[in-house]
Amino acid sequence: MNGNEPILSIQDLRKYYPIHGGILGGKVGNVRAVDGVTLSIARGETLGLVGESGCGKSTLGRTVIRLEDPTSGQVDFEGRDMAHASRRELFQLRRDMQIIFQDPYSSLNPRMTVGEIVREPLLVHKLGTRAEQLEKVRVLLQTVGLTSDLLDRYPHEFSGGQRQRIGIARALALEPKLVIADEPVSALDVSVQSQVLNLMLQLQRERGLTYLFISHDLSVVEHVSDTIAVMYLGRIVEKGPAARVFERPAHPYTRALIAAIPEPDPRQRRTLAVVPGETPSPVSPPPGCPFHPRCQYAIPECQAAVPPLEPVPGSHGVDGGEHLAACIRKHEI
């Protein structure tokens, strides 16, 4: 699935939400939801973005596609500037970029039928005649494992897995190149999750899709991703080929997340690791490395400066891409 050409490049992206207070209601601070993220995604690959709830990963996905306006930074999609694009330019760009939302119920309009929901992007972009649009909707429903006789039904008549398939069909209506999947299976039963994940992988092979796959579940991300980026308090703390990150995690936070994955075999009992302490507030992050208050490897130097994402010792020339970590003690871990 990997390609060599980046389809999406993110440079020092920040998304701050102002906090207002006081007698006059002036600005008193910022919530630093995304705090200087630099990433790239190769054409045809799946980048899995993982982290605890509240780390900023969903905000990053929404900012990339401009559902949220960035505070600063650069987002280039196929060399086109997303971060500063006008509404007219965004309208054209979004034919190539789509999003699958986390909740397959609230993301579908309950007053619209399935046929209307999947057809809506074609109407908005004025693609094809009515007959051509309806035929494409039927094909899309069949593609995601639903039958065309469901066109006139409403979202509440479907199960969670079926609703997410409808969301996937809608995202594919404009034949995008990049799909941002924001926790696409977290609201589904475990038995249904694998069906939806396998569908997404099949569609990727057939259509050459590129995925930004956002999830808090590392076992899911390991299954679908070529590359993994680990996010903590608005920053990327580790990035590398999925197999290498899982086999040899270089950041203490990544190690803790992997150690906390439940063992599926009931005969293999083990004590799950717990990251000590609470995630600091994005309003006033700690100085230096944002993870140091919870890190067992922390030393005084960790409080001095934010460590940059740098190559992990011994990872040069690793197949699948460079392995990077933002930890001054990565060579000792």
Side-chain angles (χ1 to χ4, degrees):
M1 283 188 291
N2 274 326
N4 294 319
E5 178 190 354
I7 191 172
L8 181 73
S9 296
I10 304 167
Q11 187 68 37
D12 198 26
L13 187 65
R14 300 174 191 272
K15 177 59 183 178
Y16 293 174
Y17 295 97
I19 301 172
H20 298 279
I23 297 175
L24 300 178
K27 181 179 173 182
V28 296
N30 288 302
V31 176
R32 303 180 182 184
V34 179
D35 198 15
V37 168
T38 296
L39 279 176
S40 64
I41 306 178
R43 189 179 301 275
E45 84 161 348
T46 298
L47 174 73
L49 182 64
V50 298
E52 293 173 295
S53 296
C55 72
K57 55 189 185 296
S58 291
T59 302
L60 176 62
R62 294 174 63 87
T63 305
V64 165
I65 204 170
R66 280 288 298 276
L67 293 178
E68 302 275 0
D69 289 329
T71 301
S72 64
Q74 192 76 18
V75 179
D76 289 327
F77 175 72
E78 291 191 319
R80 294 173 287 178
D81 183 2
M82 283 288 296
H84 304 96
S86 66
R87 292 186 65 177
R88 183 185 182 90
E89 291 169 331
L90 280 177
F91 183 78
Q92 296 300 321
L93 284 167
R94 283 182 177 149
R95 286 186 57 176
D96 293 331
M97 302 176 73
Q98 289 294 304
I99 187 168
I100 301 169
F101 294 98
Q102 177 177 358
D103 188 341
Y105 189 75
S106 64
S107 64
L108 303 178
N109 189 331
R111 296 177 179 273
M112 296 174 68
T113 65
V114 167
E116 292 169 337
I117 288 170
V118 179
R119 185 185 172 207
E120 186 178 27
L122 302 172
L123 284 172
V124 170
H125 286 266
K126 300 178 181 178
L127 299 177
T129 63
R130 174 182 171 81
E132 290 170 340
Q133 291 172 353
L134 292 176
E135 177 59 25
K136 184 160 190 176
V137 170
R138 293 188 185 96
V139 171
L140 283 168
L141 289 179
Q142 292 170 356
T143 299
V144 298
L146 299 174
T147 56
S148 57
D149 61 347
L150 304 175
L151 283 170
D152 295 326
R153 296 191 182 183
Y154 290 86
H156 72 271
E157 300 179 73
F158 294 87
S159 67
Q162 290 174 321
R163 286 196 291 264
Q164 195 61 290
R165 289 173 186 268
I166 295 166
I168 294 171
R170 177 178 60 184
L172 296 178
L174 298 177
E175 301 180 7
K177 300 174 183 176
L178 172 69
V179 175
I180 297 173
D182 185 9
E183 300 267 14
V185 297
S186 66
L188 307 179
D189 292 339
V190 174
S191 60
V192 179
Q193 287 184 8
S194 60
Q195 298 173 17
V196 174
L197 290 173
N198 289 334
L199 170 64
M200 292 181 66
L201 292 174
Q202 177 187 342
L203 292 169
Q204 184 177 44
R205 290 190 296 268
E206 294 174 352
R207 296 170 177 254
L209 296 170
T210 302
Y211 288 140
L212 172 57
F213 192 97
I214 300 168
S215 178
H216 67 277
D217 189 336
L218 268 78
S219 58
V220 169
V221 169
E222 182 183 19
H223 178 64
V224 302
S225 301
D226 301 299
T227 303
I228 289 177
V230 182
M231 194 168 184
Y232 183 78
L233 210 64
R235 297 177 178 273
I236 302 300
V237 296
E238 185 163 358
K239 177 180 180 289
R244 182 173 174 89
V245 170
F246 270 85
E247 291 169 7
R248 297 182 60 186
H251 195 282
Y253 179 59
T254 309
R255 292 187 67 175
L257 290 179
I258 293 173
I261 298 175
E263 174 58 56
D265 187 346
R267 295 168 297 180
Q268 302 292 326
R269 295 183 179 273
R270 62 184 174 90
T271 301
L272 297 181
V274 177
V275 182
E278 297 291 334
T279 304
S281 170
V283 177
S284 55
C289 173
F291 188 62
H292 85 260
R294 308 172 69 189
C295 180
Q296 61 176 314
Y297 301 98
I299 56 177
E301 287 83 348
C302 295
Q303 302 181 41
V306 178
L309 265 179
E310 294 178 334
V312 175
S315 66
H316 181 70
V318 174
D319 291 340
E322 196 170 28
H323 188 190
L324 308 171
C327 177
I328 65 174
R329 298 191 66 186
K330 55 184 172 289
H331 60 288
E332 304 172 33
I333 297 172

